[in-house]
C-alpha cells in the first residue's frame, strides 16, 4: 500500500561495472567544472563510489576491475593536486600504486582526485560544548488529598513514586520530603493512581478525542500501571480500527504511547497487532491527504523502532513483513521527499525486525554480535558511549562484508553514499543510487543520537554526528536536521541548548565541504528554521536571525535556491517540537469536580487505620453456638473470612462482657481496610449505641457521621458493597432485626453483609429471629445466617497477651512476675480468661500485691480488680493534672479537689454519672452533649467546661466529637453497682486518704491488708431511699447484678442490708423495688430461701428464676410479674399471694379424651396440628391452648401443613383421595382423585407447589396444587410401600417398601434411575440429606447411606437386635442420627465415622428428630423420657419425663426453643427447652454428674461431670468454692487425698490431673492410659495414686509424677482399682479376676471365679472382700492366697454397688432389682434384704457413724435405712433425673447426704436424727431449669391467669386460686399486652412494665426499660392486704434486724 517504490532500484542493477561507470562520470564532470566547490563535491562522490567498488570486488573475488579502480584513484589524486590538496592526492596515488592502475588518461579522465567521507568533520566549539543535566520540571508537590493543578503534576507524582530517586540530588528538599511521606502513605498513593485511572476512564468515555485530550493522556501513559497502560493501548487501537477518515490525533497518541512504553508493558503480540493495523490503514489511506501519509509513516516508524528495540522475533513474513514492505516500496514514485524519507526510515526499522524465515535466522546466528549491536544501538539506554557506538557501526559494516553467505548478504547490506547535488532532487538521488531494501548504518546511528538527546548528552551527540561513517548519507543528515529542529523547538531545554541546535543547523547549511550539497537537506534545514522562527520562545529569535544571515551564503545558485525555498514556505510537515496545550477544563479537572467517593473512602480508611495502629490484639477463638463444647473451637477470624466469601448474609458474634467482641470487630475492620482495593467492598464499623434509631437507615446515618455528602451516599447505595461491622447490639437495648428493618440486599437498597455482636446475657432463648435474614421463623433464610461465641482465653493466649502487654507498656512487673502471680493466686487464672479482666489485672496487680507477700493466700475477685483499677486511674489522672501547666483558676480548683480527696471526688463523680446515665438515658452508654442545646440539663453537671472539668478529664471516659462514653461499658455498670453499695461509704476510716489508696475490705481483697484500714469501724446507717435499688429494677442489668453478687460474698454488711430491704417491704410498699432487687441479688449469689419466712414481702418483677424456696412461707407476698422460671417451690405456701403476670416458663399439658396419634408445629410455631385416633384433627394455639379449628375426618395418616403454612393436606382412612384445606378460610379447596386404593401418605415439595401421594395401589402420584392435575404416576414397588420422600430440589424422589428395596426416581424423566438393594427387611424410613446428594434408609437389620448419583452404599450400620430404629438427617447436612435399642448414634455424613454414642435411655428409642438449626437432636424412648442432646458434644442437655405412658411422638418448634411430645396417655405436652439449655449457671454443672466425694475434712465435697469440670462445694452454704478446669473431655472419677489438700481427677481424655484444693490450680498431669480413666485410688499416705482404664492400671507418685507400675490385660475389661491399706499392694478388678500387684516388686497374683464383680480391701488390708455380680460375698486371704469364704450364689440380681461400714465388719450391696442387701464382711454371710426402691439401686454408702445405710436408685429417690434393723428411716424424693452418685458428709453443724444427678444437679439434704426419729430436709441444691411446685399451696392466689393456673395444677400445686374470671379481667388491664410488646405464652413478658404508685393498675411504659414509678395499690386493695397481714402476723411494724427473713 504506502511507501511504494521511491527507492526501488534493485541491488542486482548495481554491478561492479555500473559502479565504476558512475565513479568515472563524477570524475569527468569534475574535470569539466570550473567551480572549486563543485569539483570538490564531485570528487567526494567519486571517492565514495570507488570505495563501494572495492568492497564489491573483494566480496565477489572479481579482480578484473582492479586496474580500472586503481586508475580512477590515480585520477582523483591528480584532480586534487590541481586544487592544491596535495596530501589528499598523495593518499590516492598510494592506492593507485597498490592496485597497479594505469594512468588516468587511458580513461579519458583529467588527473585530479579528492576523498570525502572518511575521517571526521570539525564544527565550531561553541556548538554543544558540553553535556547538560536533564531538564527539571517545575513541580509543586500536592498536599495529602489536595486537589491537583494539572495532569503533568499528576504524572510527575506517579513518576517519582515509581522511580527510586528519594535520595537523588536532582530533587529539591520539598519534593524529597513529599516523596518520603507519600511512599509511607498507601492511601495517598492509591488516590493518585485512582485519579490517573479516572482520567483514563474519562478519556475512554469521551466521544471526540481531540489533540488536547490526547496530550493529557500522553502525559499520563508512561506512569500508568501495566494493566491500565494496556487498556489504553487497546482504546487507541480501537479508535484507529474504525472505518472512515484517519483520526490523526489518536494516531499521534498511539505513536507516543508505543515510543514511551516501559519495559515489559507491550508484548510482541501487541506491537505486531498495532503494526498490522497501521499497515491496513496505509492501504486504506491512499485518497487522504499527504499529511495523513506522513503521520502514518511516523507512527509506523515508532512501532518499528519499538519492535527493533525489543528484539521482536519471528514476525510473520507472509502476513505482515512482506505486505508492509511492499506498501513502503509503493512510495518510490512519491514526489514528497519528506514522505519518502519517513518511508525510508520506517523500512530501515522494518529490516531490523526479524521475520520467521529460516535462512535469515541462520545468517543472524553466524553474525550474532552484529544483531546484538543493532538492537543495543536502537534501545536508547542511559550512558551511551559514542566511541563504542562508532566502533559498533564499523563492526556492522565489516561483519556483514566478511560473511560467507554472499547471496544473502547482497540482499541485506550495502553501504552507499549519497550522490552529489547535480540539479537532481532528493528523489532522483535515491532512484539512482539508493536502495531501501538494504540495511544502512545511518538508522542505528540515528537511534543512538536519540538516546544521547534523551539523556542531555549533547557533546556526545555532536561527536557522534561528526564521526560516524555514514555522516554524509542524505537520510542520516535528514534525520539529524529533524532532531536538531525538535531540540530547538522544545521548551524543556534551556536557551543555550536550543540556540546550539539552531547554530548546528546553520553549520550544516553553510559548510558544503563537510556536509555536501544535497538540495533536499538544505531545503529541510530552511523549512525547519522557518517553522522555528514563526514560534515564540527561546531559540526562536536565533532561528530568525540565522535565516536572514543564510540568504547571503554561498554562490548565486545557492542564494537562488534559498529564495526559492522561502517563497514555497515551510511546507506541511511540522516538527514534533511540543505537545498541544491541554483543554480547560482538562480531563483531570472534570474528574476532580465529580463527587469523589473514593477520596472520602480513603480518608475514612486512613483515619480508621490510624486509630487501630499499634493496638494490642490476640487472635480470639470461638465455638459454633452457646451450647457447643470447647473441643469445637476454631479461629474466629478464619471463620468470618469464610463467611465473607460465602453467600451468607449475617454473622452473629456472641460473647460475655469483656470477651473481646469490640476488639475483634475493630481488628476485623482494620484487616478489611488493609485489604481494601479501589471499588472493593467497604468495611463500615458501626458502634450501634452512637446511632440514633439504627433500625432505620443505619448505614446512611453512619456515613453522614463520617462526613460523606448526600450525593456520595446515594452513589454508594447504588453502586457499592459493604461489610457492616455492627458492635454493641445489646448496649442500646435493641430489639429489632437490623438486617430486615434496614432492608439490606432488597432491590434498590444497600448491598451489604453484616457482622453483628451482642452479649450472651442480653439475648433470649429465641434470639435468632432478631438477626437472621428473612421473616421470623423463615426456613428459606436459615442458610444465610451463621453465629459464633467467643471463648475465654486459653493459657497460650494469656501468655501471648502478657508478652505483648509487657513489650508495649513496660509496666513495673515483667512477664515472669505476671506469670508467677497467675500460677499462685487462687482463681486468678479463671478471671483473666476474660480479655478485659486480663487487661485490668495487668494494670493493677503490681499495686495489689506487696513485695514478699504469699500469693497463694491472696484472694482477688472481679470486683476487687475494678476497685483497684478505678483508684489507680484517678490517681494517675491526679498526677497528670498536677503536672500540667494550667491557669490560676484551674490550679486553684485542682488544689481544692486534692485537699478534699481527689480520688474520692473522682469516684463520686463516676458513681453520680453512672446513676444519671441509667436514670436519664435508661443505661444508654453514649452521652451526646452540646453546650448550646443541653444548657441547663442534667448533662451540664458532668460535661460543662466550667463544672467538674478536672474530674471529667481524670475519669475513664473517651470523647468523640460531642459524644462521651466510658472506655468500656462494664465501667458504667461498675459505677452503678458502686452507687448501690460502696464499701468506703459504709465505713468510717480513721485516715480517709489512706483508705482510698487501697479500697475494699479485708474480705474483698486480702492483698490490701492495712492495719489502719482494718481499724475502721462500721457505720450503722438506715437504708437510703435514693439508692438505685429503690427506683430501678436491675433484672435487665445482669452485669450490675454480677458486681453486686460479688459484694454479697465479700461484704456481710451488704448482705444484711439486702435482707433488711426484703424485711422492710413487708411493712411498707416504698421498699418493694429495693426488696425485688435485693432478693434477685441474693438468689444470684447462691443464697437459698428454703423454709424461710417471707410472708407479706413485696417483690414485684423480681427475678426468682432457679431460686430455691422449698417449704418457704410466701403468704400474702406480692409476686406480680416475677420471673419464676425453673424455681423450686415444692411445699411452699403461696396462699393469698399476688401473682398477676408471673413468668412460669412452662406450658400446660393438653389433656384429651382420645388418644393422640401425632402432632406437628405450624411453620411459624404459633399453632400445632393434633391428630387423634378417633380421626379428628384439631389445631391449637401454642400460647393459650385454645382450639382454633376442628376437622372431623377419617384420616389414615397425620395431615401435613404446607411449607407456607397456609393449607393442610389430609388423606382419609379407606379413601382414595387427597384433600387440601385452606387454613384461613377453613374450607376444602381441592380434592385430588386418581388412586385405586387407600392413600397412605402425602409429601409436600419444598416450595409447596406440588404434592406427592403414596397409595396401597403401589403407585405414587405427583399433583400440581394450583390446578389439581396429576403430573406423574409412578408404579414404584412390587409390594406395599412404607415411605416416600422428595429431594430438596424436587427433582428426585426416594421410596421404600416391603420389598426391601429403595428406589430413586427422576421426577422430570419419569423413570427409576437407581434400585438400591441391600436391606434384608422392609424399608421403614428414608430421608435425604439437605443438599440431596445422599439418602439414608433404615430397616430392621441395618441402616444404609447411599450416594444418589452413583447409587453406591457408602455406609452400613448394623443393629444388635433386628429392629427398625428411627433415622434422622441433620439440617446442616454434616451428620445423621440412628438408634439401636436404647442407644443413639450420631454419624458423620462425610467422614462415615461415628461421632457420638449417646447413652442414658433405659429402653428402646422410638423417635429421633433434629432441631431446625441442627444443633440439637431429640430422642424419645419407651422409658417414658425424651432426651435433648447437643450434636456437637454428644452431651445430654435435658431429660423430659413424660406421663406414665410411653412417648409416641416428638416435634421441635421451628426455632428450636420448644418441643412437643405426645403419649399414649392422651396427653400433648409442650416443653420450653430453650430456657434450660441456653442458661449458663454460675454454680452448677451443665451436663451429667458422674461422681461426688466428700473431703476428709468434712467441710466440702467434690463433683465431676461430663461438662469437663470438677467443682468443690461448701457443704453448709452450697457455694461453689472452686471450679477445676483443664480436661478436654468429661471427667469420670474424682478422689480426695487422705489429707484432704489434693484432688485427683480422671477423664475421658485419658489423663489424670492433680489439683490443689485451696487454690484450684493443677499441679500435675499424668498421661499414658490408652482409654478413659474411670477410677482413681489414693494410698493411705497420699504419696501415690492408682488409676484404671479398661485394659490398663497404673501407679504414680503424686509428688514427682513418676510412673511406678503398669498393669495390662488385653483379655479382660477392668472395672475398678483399689489401694491396699498397707500401701504395698494395688488390686485391679476385672471381668473374671482380681489381679494384685506388689507396688515395690511388681509381682502379680490373681484370683476370682468368672463373671463381673465388685471388690474392696478389708480395714486391715489382709483380705479382699469379693462380691460376685450375681452371687454372694467371698473373702480372699491375701497372704494365704486362698478363700476364707467362697462366694455362693445368693441372688439373680446383678450387684451394682458395694459399701463397707466404717466402724464394724458389715457391708452393704445395691442390686439391679431395686434391693439393698446387708452382709457380714467377716463371714460373708447375708444378713437381710432391704426393699423399697422400684428400680435399680446405683449407689450405696454408710453414714459417718455407720448407723445408717443410704441408697440411691434409678427411681429418682434416695432412701435411708437403719444399718442394724434394716428399717427405712427416711426418703428423699422430688429429684428430677437419675441419681449417679451419693456421699455422706459430716460437718460440725450436722450430717448431710450429697448427690449428683444425670441432669447436672448437685444437692445436699440435711439429716437430723433425734433418738429414733430421723428427719430429712433439703438444705440446698443447684438449679436444673425445671419449675417445681409439687404440693405448693396456691389457695386464694390473686391475679393468676387461667393459663398459669392450669400449669400450676398440672405440675402438682394444691389449693384453689381466686376466681379466674376476675383474675383474667385484672390481667388484661395489667398485662403488657395492653400496650406493650407481644407477650409470651404464659403472659409474662414484663420487661417493658412500670409499676405505678398512684393507685392505678400497672401499665407498661412507652419506652423499654424506663425506670418504674413507685407502686401504689388502690386504697381498698391496700386495706385488704393489711387486714390479711394482721391476721397472720399481728399488727404492722417496722422490722428489726432480728426479724429479717427468718430461716427455719
Amino acid at each position: 500500500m504506502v511507501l511504494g517504490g521511491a527507492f526501488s532500484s534493485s541491488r542486482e542493477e548495481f554491478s561492479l561495472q555500473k559502479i565504476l561507470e558512475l565513479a568515472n562520470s563524477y570524475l569527468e564532470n569534475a574535470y569539466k567544472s570550473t567551480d572549486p566547490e563543485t569539483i570538490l563535491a564531485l570528487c567526494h562522490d567519486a571517492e565514495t563510489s570507488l570505495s563501494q567498488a572495492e568492497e564489491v570486488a573483494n566480496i565477489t573475488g572479481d579482480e578484473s576491475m582492479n586496474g580500472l579502480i586503481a586508475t580512477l584513484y590515480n585520477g582523483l589524486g591528480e584532480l586534487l593536486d590541481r586544487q592544491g590538496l596535495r596530501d589528499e592526492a598523495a593518499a590516492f596515488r598510494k592506492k593507485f600504486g597498490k592496485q597497479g592502475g594505469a594512468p588516468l588518461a587511458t580513461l579519458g579522465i583529467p588527473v585530479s582526485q579528492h576523498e570525502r567521507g572518511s575521517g571526521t568533520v570539525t564544527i565550531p566549539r561553541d556548538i554543544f560544548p558540553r553535556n547538560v543535566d536533564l531538564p527539571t520540571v517545575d513541580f509543586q508537590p500536592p498536599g495529602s488529598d489536595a486537589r491537583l493543578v494539572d495532569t503533568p503534576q499528576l504524572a510527575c507524582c506517579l513518576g517519582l513514586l515509581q522511580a527510586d530517586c528519594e535520595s537523588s540530588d536532582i530533587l529539591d528538599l520539598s519534593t524529597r520530603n513529599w516523596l518520603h511521606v507519600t511512599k509511607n502513605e498507601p492511601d495517598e498513593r492509591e488516590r493518585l493512581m485512582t485519579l490517573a485511572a479516572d482520567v483514563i476512564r474519562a478519556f475512554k468515555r469521551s466521544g471526540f478525542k481531540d489533540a488536547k485530550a490526547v496530550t493529557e493522556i500522553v502525559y499520563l501513559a508512561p506512569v500508568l500501571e501495566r494493566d491500565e497502560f494496556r487498556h489504553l493501548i487497546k482504546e487507541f487501537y480501537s479508535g484507529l480500527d474504525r472505518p472512515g477518515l484517519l483520526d490523526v490525533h489518536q494516531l499521534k497518541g498511539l505513536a507516543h504511547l508505543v515510543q514511551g512504553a516501559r519495559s515489559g508493558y507491550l508484548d510482541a503480540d501487541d506491537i505486531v497487532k498495532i503494526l498490522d493495523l497501521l499497515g491496513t490503514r496505509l492501504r486504506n489511506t491512499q485518497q487522504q491527504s499527504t499529511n495523513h501519509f506522513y503521520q502514518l509513516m511516523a507512527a509506523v516508524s515508532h512501532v518499528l523502532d519499538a519492535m527493533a528495540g525489543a528484539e521482536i522475533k519471528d514476525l510473520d513474513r507472509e502476513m505482515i513483513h512482506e505486505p508492509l514492505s511492499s506498501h513502503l516500496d509503493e512510495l518510490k514514485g512519491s514526489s514528497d521527499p519528506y514522505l519518502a524519507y519517513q518511508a525510508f526510515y520506517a523500512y530501515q526499522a522494518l529490516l531490523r525486525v526479524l521475520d520467521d524465515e529460516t535462512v535469515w535466522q541462520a545468517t543472524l546466528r553466524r553474525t550474532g554480535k552484529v544483531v546484538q549491536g543493532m538492537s543495543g544501538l536502537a534501545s536508547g539506554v542511559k550512558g551511551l558511549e559514542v566511541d563504542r557506538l562508532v566502533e559498533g557501526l564499523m563492526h556492522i559494516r565489516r561483519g556483514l562484508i566478511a560473511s560467507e553467505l554472499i547471496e544473502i548478504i547482497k540482499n541485506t547490506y550495502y553501504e552507499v553514499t549519497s550522490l552529489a547535488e547535480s540539479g537532481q532532487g532528493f528523489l532522483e538521488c535515491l532512484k539512482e543510487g539508493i536502495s531501501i531494501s538494504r540495511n544502512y548504518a545511518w538508522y542505528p546511528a540515528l537511534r543512538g543520537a536519540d538516546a544521547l538527546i534523551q539523556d542531555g548528552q549533547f557533546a556526545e551527540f555532536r561527536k557522534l554526528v561528526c564521526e560516524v561513517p555514514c555522516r554524509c548519507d542524505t537520510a542520516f543528515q535528514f534525520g539529524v536536521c529533524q532532531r536538531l529542529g525538535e531540540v530547538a523547538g522544545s521548551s524543556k531545554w534551556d536557551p543555550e541548548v536550543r540556540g546550539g541546535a539552531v547554530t548546528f543547523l546553520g553549520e550544516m547549511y553553510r559548510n558544503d565541504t563537510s556536509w555536501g550539497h544535497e538540495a533536499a537537506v538544505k531545503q529541510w534545514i530552511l523549512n525547519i528554521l522557518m517553522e522555528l522562527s514563526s514560534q515564540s520562545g527561546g531559540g526562536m529569535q536565533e532561528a530568525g536571525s540565522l535565516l536572514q544571515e543564510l540568504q547571503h551564503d554561498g554562490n548565486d545558485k545557492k542564494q537562488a535556491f534559498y529564495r526559492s525555498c522561502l517563497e514555497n514556505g515551510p511546507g506541511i510537515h511540522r516538527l514534533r517540537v511540543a505537545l498541544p496545550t491541554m483543554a480547560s477544563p482538562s480531563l483531570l479537572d472534570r474528574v476532580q469536580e465529580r463527587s469523589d467517593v473514593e477520596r472520602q473512602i480513603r480518608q475514612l480508611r486512613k483515619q480508621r487505620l490510624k486509630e487501630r495502629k499499634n493496638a494490642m490484639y490476640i487472635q480470639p477463638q470461638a465455638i459454633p453456638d452457646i451450647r457447643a463444647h470447647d473441643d469445637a473451637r476454631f479461629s474466629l477470624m478464619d471463620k468470618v473470612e469464610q463467611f465473607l466469601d460465602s453467600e451468607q448474609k449475617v454473622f452473629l458474634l456472641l460473647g460475655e462482657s469483656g470477651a473481646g467482641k469490640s476488639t475483634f470487630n475493630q481488628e476485623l475492620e482494620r484487616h478489611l481496610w488493609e485489604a481494601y482495593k479501589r471499588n472493593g467492598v467497604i468495611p463500615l464499623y458501626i458502634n450501634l449505641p452512637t446511632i440514633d434509631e439504627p433500625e432505620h437507615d443505619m448505614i446512611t446515618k453512619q456515613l453522614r457521621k463520617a462526613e460523606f455528602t448526600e450525593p456520595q451516599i446515594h452513589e454508594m447505595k447504588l453502586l457499592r458493597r459493604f461489610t457492616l461491622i455492627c458492635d454493641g447490639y445489646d448496649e442500646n437495648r435493641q430489639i429489632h432485626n437490623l438486617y430486615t428493618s434496614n432492608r439490606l440486599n432488597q432491590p434498590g437498597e444497600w448491598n451489604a453483609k453484616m457482622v453483628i455482636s451482642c452479649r450472651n446475657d442480653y439475648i433470649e432463648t429465641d434470639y435468632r429471629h432478631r438477626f437472621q435474614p428473612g421473616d421470623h421463623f423463615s426456613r428459606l433464610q436459615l442458610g444465610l445466617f451463621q453465629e459464633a461465641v467467643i471463648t475465654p482465653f486459653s493459657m497460650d493466649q494469656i501468655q501471648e497477651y502478657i508478652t505483648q502487654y509487657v513489650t508495649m507498656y513496660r509496666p513495673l512487673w515483667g512477664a515472669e512476675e505476671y506469670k508467677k502471680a497467675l500460677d499462685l493466686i487462687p482463681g486468678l487464672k479463671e478471671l483473666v480468661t476474660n480479655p478485659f479482666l486480663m487487661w485490668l489485672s495487668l494494670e493493677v496487680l503490681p499495686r495489689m500485691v506487696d513485695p514478699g507477700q504469699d500469693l497463694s493466700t491472696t484472694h482477688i475477685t472481679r470486683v476487687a480488680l475494678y476497685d483497684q483499677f478505678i483508684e489507680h486511674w484517678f490517681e494517675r489522672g491526679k498526677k497528670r493534672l498536677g503536672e500540667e501547666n494550667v491557669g490560676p483558676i484551674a490550679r486553684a480548683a485542682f488544689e481544692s479537689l486534692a485537699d478534699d480527696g481527689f480520688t474520692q471526688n473522682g469516684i463520686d463523680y463516676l458513681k453520680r454519672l453512672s446513676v444519671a446515665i441509667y436514670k436519664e438515658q435508661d443505661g444508654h452508654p453514649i452521652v451526646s452533649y452540646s453546650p448550646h442545646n443541653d444548657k441547663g440539663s442534667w448533662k451540664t453537671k458532668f460535661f460543662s467546661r466550667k463544672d467538674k472539668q478536672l474530674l471529667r478529664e481524670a475519669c475513664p471516659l473517651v470523647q468523640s466529637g460531642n459524644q462521651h462514653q466510658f472506655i468500656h461499658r462494664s465501667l458504667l455498670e461498675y459505677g452503678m453497682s458502686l452507687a448501690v453499695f460502696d464499701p468506703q461509704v459504709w465505713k468510717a476510716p480513721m485516715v480517709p486518704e489512706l483508705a482510698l489508696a487501697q479500697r475494699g475490705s479485708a474480705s474483698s481483697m486480702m492483698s490490701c491488708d492495712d492495719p489502719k484500714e482494718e481499724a475502721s469501724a462500721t457505720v450503722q446507717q438506715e437504708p437510703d431511699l435514693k439508692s438505685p435499688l429503690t427506683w430501678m429494677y436491675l433484672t435487665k442489668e445482669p452485669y450490675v447484678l454480677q458486681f453486686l453478687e460479688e459484694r454479697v460474698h465479700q461484704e456481710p454488711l451488704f448482705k444484711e442490708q439486702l435482707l433488711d430491704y426484703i424485711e422492710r417491704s413487708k411493712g411498707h410498699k416504698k421498699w418493694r423495688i429495693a426488696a425485688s432487687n435485693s432478693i434477685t441479688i441474693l438468689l444470684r449469689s447462691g443464697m437459698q430461701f428454703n423454709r424461710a419466712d417471707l410472708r407479706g414481702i413485696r417483690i414485684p418483677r423480681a427475678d426468682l428464676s432457679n431460686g430455691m424456696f422449698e417449704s418457704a412461707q410466701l403468704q400474702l407476698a406480692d409476686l406480680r410479674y416475677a420471673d419464676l422460671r425453673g424455681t423450686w417451690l415444692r411445699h411452699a405456701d403461696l396462699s393469698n399471694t399476688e401473682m398477676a403476670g408471673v413468668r412460669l416458663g412452662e406450658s400446660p399439658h393438653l389433656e384429651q379424651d382420645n388418644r393422640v396419634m401425632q402432632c406437628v408445629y405450624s411453620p411459624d410455631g404459633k399453632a400445632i396440628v393434633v391428630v387423634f385416633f378417633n380421626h379428628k384433627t384439631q389445631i391449637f394455639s401454642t400460647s393459650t391452648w385454645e382450639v382454633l379449628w376442628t376437622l372431623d375426618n377419617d384420616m389414615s395418616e397425620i395431615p401435613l401443613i404446607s411449607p407456607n403454612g397456609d393449607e393442610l393436606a389430609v388423606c382419609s382412612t379407606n379413601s382414595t383421595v387427597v384433600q387440601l384445606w385452606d387454613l384461613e378460610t377453613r374450607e376444602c379447596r381441592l380434592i385430588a382423585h386418581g388412586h385405586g386404593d387407600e392413600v397412605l401418605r402425602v409429601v409436600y415439595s419444598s416450595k409447596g407447589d406440588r404434592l406427592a401421594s403414596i397409595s396401597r395401589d403401589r403407585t405414587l402420584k405427583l399433583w400440581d396444587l394450583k390446578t389439581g392435575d396429576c403430573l406423574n404416576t409412578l408404579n414404584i414397588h412390587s409390594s406395599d410401600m412404607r415411605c416416600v420422600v422428595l429431594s430438596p430440589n424436587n427433582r428426585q424422589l426416594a421410596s421404600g417398601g416391603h420389598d426391601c428395596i429403595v428406589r430413586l426416581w427422576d421426577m422430570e424423566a419419569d423413570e427409576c434411575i437407581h434400585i438400591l438393594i441391600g436391606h434384608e427387611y422392609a424399608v421403614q424410613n428414608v430421608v435425604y440429606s439437605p443438599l440431596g446428594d445422599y439418602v439414608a434408609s433404615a430397616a430392621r437389620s441395618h441402616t444404609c447411606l447411599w450416594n444418589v448419583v452413583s447409587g453406591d452404599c457408602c455406609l452400613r450400620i448394623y443393629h444388635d437386635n433386628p429392629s427398625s430404629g428411627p433415622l434422622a438427617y441433620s439440617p446442616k447436612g454434616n451428620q445423621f442420627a440412628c438408634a439401636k435399642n436404647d442407644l443413639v448414634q450420631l454419624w458423620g455424613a462425610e467422614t462415615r465415622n461415628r461421632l457420638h454414642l449417646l447413652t442414658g435411655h433405659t429402653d428402646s428409642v422410638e423417635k429421633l428428630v433434629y432441631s431446625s438449626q441442627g444443633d440439637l437432636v431429640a430422642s424419645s424412648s419407651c422409658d417414658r423420657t425424651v432426651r435433648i442432646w447437643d450434636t456437637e458434644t454428644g452431651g445430654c442437655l435435658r431429660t423430659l419425663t413424660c406421663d406414665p405412658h410411653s412417648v409416641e411422638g416428638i416435634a421441635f418448634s421451628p426455632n428450636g426453643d420448644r418441643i412437643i411430645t405426645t403419649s399414649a396417655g392422651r396427653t400433648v405436652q409442650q416443653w420450653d427447652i430453650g430456657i434450660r439449655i441456653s442458661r449458663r449457671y454460675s454454680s452448677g454443672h451443665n451436663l451429667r454428674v458422674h461422681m461426688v466425694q466428700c473431703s476428709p475434712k468434712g467441710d466440702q465435697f467434690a463433683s465431676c461431670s461430663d461438662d469437663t469440670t470438677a467443682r468443690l462445694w461448701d457443704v453448709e452454704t452450697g457455694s461453689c468454692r472452686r471450679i477445676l478446669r483443664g480436661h478436654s473431655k468429661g471427667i469420670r472419677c474424682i478422689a480426695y487425698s487422705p489429707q484432704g489438700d489434693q484432688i485427683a481427677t480422671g477423664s475421658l481424655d485419658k489423663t489424670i490431673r492433680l489439683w490443689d484444693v485451696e487454690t484450684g490450680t493443677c499441679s500435675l498431669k499424668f498421661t499414658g492410659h490408652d482409654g478413659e480413666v474411670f477410677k482413681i485410688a489414693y494410698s493411705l499416705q497420699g504419696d501415690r495414686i492408682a488409676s484404671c482404664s479398661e485394659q490398663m492400671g497404673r501407679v504414680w507418685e503424686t509428688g514427682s509424677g513418676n510412673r511406678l507400675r503398669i498393669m495390662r490385660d488385653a483379655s479382660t475389661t477392668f472395672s475398678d482399682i483399689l489401694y491396699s491399706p498397707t500401701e504395698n499392694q494395688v488390686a485391679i478388678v476385672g471381668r473374671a479376676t482380681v489381679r494384685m500387684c506388689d507396688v515395690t516388686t511388681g509381682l502379680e497374683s490373681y484370683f476370682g471365679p468368672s463373671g463381673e464383680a465388685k471388690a474392696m480391701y478389708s480395714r486391715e488390708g489382709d483380705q479382699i472382700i469379693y462380691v460376685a455380680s450375681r452371687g454372694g460375698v467371698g473373702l480372699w486371704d491375701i497372704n494365704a492366697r486362698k478363700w476364707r469364704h467362697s462366694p455362693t450364689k445368693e441372688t439373680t440380681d446383678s450387684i451394682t454397688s458395694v459399701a463397707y461400714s466404717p466402724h464394724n465388719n458389715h457391708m452393704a450391696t445395691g442390686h439391679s432389682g431395686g434391693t439393698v442387701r446387708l452382709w457380714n464382711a467377716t463371714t460373708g454371710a447375708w444378713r437381710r434384704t432391704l426393699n423399697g426402691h422400684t428400680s435399680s439401686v446405683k449407689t450405696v454408702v454408710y453414714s459417718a457413724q455407720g448407723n445408717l445405710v443410704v441408697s440411691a436408685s434409678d427411681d429418682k429417690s434416695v432412701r435411708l435405712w437403719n444399718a442394724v434393723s434394716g428399717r427405712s428411716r427416711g426418703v428423699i424424693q422430688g429429684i428430677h433425673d437419675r441419681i449417679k452418685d451419693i456421699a455422706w458428709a459430716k460437718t460440725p453443724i450436722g450430717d448431710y447426704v450429697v448427690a449428683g444427678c444425670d441432669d447436672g444437679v448437685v444437692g445436699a439434704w440435711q439429716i437430723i436424727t433425734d433418738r429414733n426419729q430421723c428427719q430429712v430436709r433439703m438444705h440446698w441444691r443447684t438449679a436444673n431449669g425445671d419449675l417445681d411446685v409439687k404440693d405448693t399451696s396456691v389457695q386464694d392466689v390473686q391475679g393468676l391467669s387461667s393459663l398459669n393456673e392450669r400449669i400450676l395444677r398440672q405440675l402438682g400445686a394444691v389449693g384453689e386460686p381466686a376466681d379466674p374470671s376476675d383474675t383474667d379481667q385484672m390481667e388484661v388491664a395489667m398485662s403488657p399486652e395492653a400496650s406493650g410488646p407481644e407477650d409470651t405464652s404464659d403472659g409474662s413478658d414484663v420487661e417493658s412494665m412500670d409499676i405505678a404508685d398512684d393507685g392505678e393498675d400497672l401499665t407498661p411504659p412507652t419506652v423499654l426499660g424506663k425506670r418504674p414509678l413507685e407502686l401504689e395499690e388502690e386504697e381498698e386493695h391496700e386495706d385488704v392486704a393489711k387486714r390479711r397481714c394482721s391476721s397472720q402476723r399481728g399488727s404492722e411494724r417496722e422490722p428489726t434486724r432480728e426479724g429479717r427473713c427468718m430461716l427455719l
Side-chain angles (χ1 to χ4, degrees), residues 1411-1651:
S1411 65
S1412 59
Q1413 298 291 333
D1415 52 351
L1416 302 175
V1417 64
S1419 58
S1420 65
S1421 168
C1422 292
D1423 63 6
R1424 302 188 300 278
T1425 66
V1426 174
R1427 289 182 176 264
I1428 313 298
W1429 310 88
D1430 188 307
T1431 59
E1432 291 289 338
T1433 66
C1436 181
L1437 300 176
R1438 192 173 183 187
T1439 301
L1440 311 177
T1441 302
C1442 302
D1443 65 18
H1445 299 85
S1446 62
V1447 180
E1448 294 189 336
I1450 51 175
F1452 272 103
S1453 64
N1455 60 357
D1457 65 332
R1458 290 168 291 162
I1459 195 169
I1460 274 200
T1461 62
T1462 61
S1463 69
R1466 304 176 181 179
T1467 301
V1468 178
Q1469 295 176 270
Q1470 181 173 232
W1471 310 80
D1472 192 346
I1473 61 170
I1475 298 171
R1476 161 67 198 281
I1477 292 174
S1478 65
R1479 296 166 75 94
R1480 298 290 181 109
Y1481 306 110
S1482 60
S1483 62
H1485 288 291
N1486 296 319
L1487 297 174
R1488 174 186 301 167
V1489 175
H1490 281 284
M1491 184 180 288
V1492 293
Q1493 189 176 58
C1494 287
S1495 165
K1497 298 179 180 180
D1499 60 335
Q1500 67 174 221
F1501 73 95
S1503 61
C1504 63
S1505 167
D1506 275 340
D1507 64 5
T1508 74
T1509 69
R1511 295 173 185 255
L1512 308 184
W1513 305 89
D1514 187 295
V1515 177
E1516 288 292 340
T1517 66
S1519 61
C1520 181
R1521 293 184 177 180
R1522 293 282 180 268
I1523 300 176
L1524 311 182
R1525 291 188 172 95
H1527 286 288
S1528 61
K1529 293 185 178 180
I1531 303 176
R1532 298 298 303 274
C1533 56
I1534 193 167
Y1536 274 98
S1537 67
Q1539 295 76 25
D1541 58 347
Q1542 190 180 76
I1543 279 183
T1545 55
S1547 169
L1548 289 166
D1549 63 10
K1550 307 176 186 179
T1551 68
I1552 301 109
R1553 289 175 180 259
L1554 301 185
W1555 310 82
D1556 185 284
V1557 170
E1558 185 64 29
T1559 66
T1561 57
C1562 179
S1563 57
L1564 277 176
K1565 175 183 176 182
F1566 303 138
T1567 60
H1569 278 283
D1570 56 0
E1572 67 177 77
V1573 180
F1574 53 78
K1575 188 61 185 292
I1576 296 173
Y1578 269 94
S1579 67
L1580 191 61
Q1581 297 299 320
D1583 56 342
R1584 297 173 180 176
I1585 61 168
S1587 58
C1588 178
S1589 57
E1590 282 193 354
Q1591 294 180 338
M1592 180 183 295
R1594 288 176 178 264
V1595 181
W1596 319 78
E1597 285 185 343
T1598 58
S1600 64
N1602 294 331
R1603 185 187 68 203
L1604 298 179
R1605 289 285 174 262
I1606 180 171
M1607 295 155 281
R1608 296 179 184 271
D1609 190 346
S1611 64
T1612 188
T1613 300
F1614 298 144
S1615 61
D1616 200 357
I1617 195 167
L1618 313 169
Y1619 221 114
S1620 169
T1622 62
E1623 298 199 61
N1624 64 340
Q1625 191 181 77
V1626 169
I1628 187 165
V1629 183
R1631 180 171 294 177
T1633 61
V1634 176
R1635 301 167 62 93
M1636 293 165 291
C1637 175
D1638 189 293
V1639 176
T1640 304
T1641 65
L1643 295 177
E1644 294 188 19
S1645 61
Y1646 64 92
F1647 72 92
S1650 61

